[in-house]
Structures are given as C-alpha cells and as structure tokens.
Amino acid sequence: MSVKNLGFLLLALLATGCAKESKITLETARMERGDISRSVTATGTVESVTQVDVGTQVTGIIDKLYADYNSVVTKGQLIAEIEKTLLESDLKSADANMESARLNYEYNKTNYERDKALHDKQLISDYEFQTSRKEYEVSKQSYDKARADRVRAAKNLNYAEIYSPIDGVVISREVEVGQTVVSNMNVANLYVIADLDNMQVIGDVDEADIGQVKVGQEVEFTVDAYPDDKFKGTVTQVRLNPTVESNVVTYEVVVNAPNPDHKLIPGLTANLTIYTLREDGISLLPSAAFRFTPHDYGEAKGLPQASPDAKALTSDNDDERNVWVVEGDKLVPTLVKVGVTDGSRTQILSGIAENAEVAVDYEINAGSRKSEEKAEQSPFAPQPPGRNKKR
C-alpha cells in the first residue's frame, strides 16, 4: 500500500472515531406502576409476649409432677403437688384452736350479758362488770384470730396443688420429685410457662435509624433455625430508653410475631427488616428526571429539543416538581405532583398521563453519561423500570 493510500485510510478512521465521539442520545423513561420501599435493618431476640414463672407459696416436698419440658398445658390445669401431710395437720390444728376459741368466746359472752343486766340494776360492782366485759372482748379477739389462722391453714393446703395460670408450653422445669422447696422471702419457682402462640421480637435499632421507625410499620424477619422462612409482624412499640454498649447507642423496638406453627421459640436471634416506607402498585418515575436540563445539540439529528423560550416550571408547593415531557421532537416543561420516594424513584400523583415519556439524561458515546447520578450509580444495581429507552 502506498503512503498516499495509507494517509487516506488514517483520515477515514479518525473521521469515523470523531463521529462516534459526537453521537448524542436522549435517555427517557415512561411513568410505570411499581413498588417502592425503604427499610431499616436490625437484629433482635425472639421472646414470648406472656411468660410466667410458676411457683409455690408454701414450703414442702414435691410429691408429684404432672408436666415436663415441652408439655402443652391449659389455664387451670393441675401441674404439680406438694406433700400435704404437714399442711393437713396445720389445718386440723387450726380447726381445733378455732373451736376452742369459739367455746370460750360464747361462754364469756353469756357472762358479760348477764353481768351487764345485773350492773344496770346496780346488783354488782363496777369492778365485777368491767372484768366480765374485758374477758368477753379478749375472747372475741382470740376467736377472730383463730378463724383467720384457720383460713390461712386452709389456703396453704390449697397452695399444695399448683395449677397452670395460662395456656402455653412448659419451657423450663426447675424441680424434681422429692425435692424440698422453701418459700421464704421469694416464691420458689417450679416451672416457666410461655404462650408460644403470641411471640414478639425485641430488636436493637441504631440511633441513626430510630427516627424513621414508627408504630404500625411492617416488618419481615428471619431466624437461623429456619433460614428459608420469612416471618412477618408489625412494630408495636418504640422504647425511648437507650442502650449503650462500646459507645454504640441503640434503642429497643418491639415487633409482634404471630406464631401459629410454633416455629418461633424464645431466645432465637432474628434478623429484622423494618419497612419505613412501603407502597405497592403506584406510579413511578426515576428521580433523575427532576434534575434534567435541556441542551441544544444542533449537530445531533432527531434529538428532541426544547423551544428557545422554554424554561423549567417552578412552584411554591414543595410537592410539585418540573419534568420535561417528550412530545414528538419537542421537550415540554410540565409540573407534576410528587409523593413518596426511595431516592432513585419517586411517586407521581398527578400532572402527566400514565404512559407519558419524560427526559432523564443525555448520553454520549453509547452510554458515557454526563450526569453525576449515572456516574455514582453502581453498575451492579438494578435499573428502575422504564429507563432503557434512548432516542
């Protein structure tokens, strides 16, 4: 090949390269229906909403146990008995003391009533009458005390039979048959019973995220015991008391967790996703459309252009924003009313038609974007709907 031909070939290649470098396209998007969400992540611990320590108020030897670990019990069901011999003896003694006090009381009452009648007629001295009245009052107090002791003894005998206070499952048994339980200042625990139908998760939310969490928000969570299952709940309480550990501040958030299959058990670690924003089936546009500014690329053929006197529309309302609608080969500024956003996409409430096409950004060299939004976006991130059209 001659030097002259080689020169022409190089010029042709350069011209071709320059043409590619100057190729400009307009990226557009159509308003489409989709889902939008924002979320906060946290970890927490599964707990039972209702968990009761079942104990005894009397001292004695465990005689019988009718429930064990994982036993399903109902409210009022007999689950344990304490040996009753000493308690029955206490009741018999209380009965005898009460009967003795009753007889003494009735005898002194009769004497008092007789002496009162005689004293009224001045047939006995004041001293004799006062003595009779004192003995009557003392015997009455003794009788009242004996009756109270009898009630206590009977109640203690009833306490020898331990019943379940709730419907639930026994998650812990603290005693064995033959073991002595001592009820002193504290109640001696026999069982721990939990209601596994109604569980909750106590999540620890970072201080940077707690401001977004509100009561009633939807929550999804998983537990390591069932990695393929997703459990759902709602935020029922945001506790204001902070927890500080290693200079990290967190706040407890309570999430209810229905548990009909009893898969959730106390103590499991839960990985929470709290949806601070979740809207399904709403009209969406890429948020980049609000930052679009038309440019006059006269050398680009077929590129929609804005009229020379067209300007972005402004509004005093914070929920109204400007977009550039593509109408044939024209870019028309239009105000739209916006709703919620997740940063990359924004809800459109009104202002344009459902399938309206709006400008998002210019592209040069088949994908080299000029906007900072494209430059900062990860190439691995999923693309919002409708952002694949170029003109």
Side-chain angles (χ1 to χ4, degrees):
M1 180 182 294
S2 66
V3 176
K4 183 177 181 180
N5 291 336
L6 180 59
F8 283 124
L9 178 59
L10 290 174
L11 290 173
L13 290 175
L14 288 173
T16 302
C18 291
K20 289 184 179 180
E21 290 179 359
S22 63
K23 183 178 181 181
I24 301 172
T25 58
L26 178 65
E27 183 178 354
T28 63
R30 291 188 182 274
M31 188 169 68
E32 296 182 355
R33 290 197 172 272
D35 304 334
I36 192 172
S37 67
R38 286 200 308 263
S39 62
V40 169
T41 59
T43 58
T45 304
V46 177
E47 296 181 358
S48 174
V49 174
T50 304
Q51 181 170 303
V52 181
D53 294 335
V54 181
T56 174
Q57 290 185 270
V58 295
T59 297
I61 298 173
I62 299 296
D63 187 31
K64 296 176 182 177
L65 293 175
Y66 300 106
D68 202 349
Y69 287 95
N70 302 330
S71 296
V72 179
V73 296
T74 58
K75 184 177 181 179
Q77 177 180 336
L78 181 64
I79 56 178
E81 286 188 36
I82 294 176
E83 208 280 329
K84 300 179 181 178
T85 302
L86 295 179
L87 297 173
E88 289 173 344
S89 297
D90 291 342
L91 180 58
K92 290 180 180 179
S93 176
D95 284 337
N97 290 336
M98 185 182 71
E99 182 63 17
S100 175
R102 184 186 67 81
L103 293 174
N104 189 45
Y105 162 71
E106 291 179 351
Y107 172 76
N108 288 320
K109 181 182 180 182
T110 302
N111 288 341
Y112 167 71
E113 291 174 348
R114 182 188 66 245
D115 291 347
K116 185 178 184 301
L118 294 174
H119 182 263
D120 291 342
K121 296 178 181 180
Q122 296 183 350
L123 297 176
I124 61 174
S125 66
D126 291 343
Y127 174 77
E128 289 176 312
F129 173 68
Q130 291 172 357
T131 300
S132 177
R133 184 173 63 183
K134 184 195 73 172
E135 290 175 350
Y136 161 70
E137 292 176 350
V138 170
S139 62
K140 183 178 184 301
Q141 295 297 324
S142 297
Y143 180 42
D144 290 342
K145 181 179 182 303
R147 286 191 297 176
D149 290 343
R150 199 271 175 192
V151 171
R152 182 183 298 106
K155 199 69 175 178
N156 285 340
L157 181 59
N158 291 336
Y159 285 148
E161 296 179 346
I162 291 91
Y163 299 89
S164 174
I166 62 170
D167 297 337
V169 177
V170 176
I171 61 174
S172 178
R173 176 171 60 82
E174 309 292 339
V175 294
E176 301 286 348
V177 173
Q179 181 176 338
T180 300
V181 290
V182 178
S183 178
N184 193 2
M185 295 299 295
N186 298 318
V187 175
N189 288 334
L190 307 181
Y191 295 100
V192 177
I193 299 177
D195 177 10
L196 297 187
D197 289 328
N198 299 293
M199 304 294 286
Q200 64 185 11
V201 180
I202 308 298
D204 297 321
V205 178
D206 188 84
E207 62 175 325
D209 299 324
I210 194 63
Q212 305 176 51
V213 180
K214 308 295 180 184
V215 173
Q217 290 174 341
E218 296 181 12
V219 180
E220 289 184 353
F221 65 94
T222 60
V223 295
D224 292 339
Y226 304 99
D228 297 329
D229 293 346
K230 282 190 175 181
F231 301 90
K232 295 186 178 182
T234 56
V235 176
T236 59
Q237 188 180 57
V238 179
R239 296 176 177 173
L240 303 181
N241 185 40
T243 300
V244 182
E245 185 174 348
S246 300
N247 293 326
V248 177
V249 181
T250 59
Y251 292 83
E252 289 185 345
V253 173
V254 182
V255 177
N256 75 325
N259 189 32
D261 299 329
H262 289 185
K263 287 185 176 181
L264 299 176
I265 56 178
L268 292 178
T269 298
N271 300 306
L272 300 165
T273 300
I274 304 171
Y275 289 98
T276 58
L277 168 66
R278 191 167 191 176
E279 297 287 346
D280 298 332
I282 60 177
S283 299
L284 297 171
L285 276 180
S287 299
F290 305 124
R291 300 189 293 268
F292 175 79
T293 301
H295 294 284
D296 184 9
Y297 294 104
E299 70 278 9
K301 296 182 179 180
L303 192 67
Q305 301 285 346
S307 300
D309 57 346
K311 295 182 180 180
L313 302 179
T314 60
S315 173
D316 294 333
N317 298 326
D318 293 336
D319 60 349
E320 289 186 335
R321 306 285 296 277
N322 180 80
V323 295
W324 292 87
V325 178
V326 179
E327 295 182 0
D329 60 351
K330 299 292 184 181
L331 292 177
V332 180
T334 306
L335 277 179
V336 295
K337 189 174 183 179
V338 299
V340 295
T341 179
D342 64 356
S344 63
R345 294 178 297 169
T346 300
Q347 180 186 16
I348 304 300
L349 299 175
S350 63
I352 57 175
E354 184 70 26
N355 292 319
E357 185 179 5
V358 300
V360 176
D361 207 345
Y362 292 107
E363 287 193 0
I364 302 175
N365 281 344
S368 177
R369 292 276 303 276
K370 292 178 64 178
S371 73
E372 296 180 358
E373 184 267 343
K374 176 89 174 189
E376 294 176 356
Q377 183 175 359
S378 169
F380 302 102
Q383 296 296 317
R387 291 192 55 181
N388 57 358
K389 185 169 183 179
K390 300 174 183 177
R391 298 177 68 97

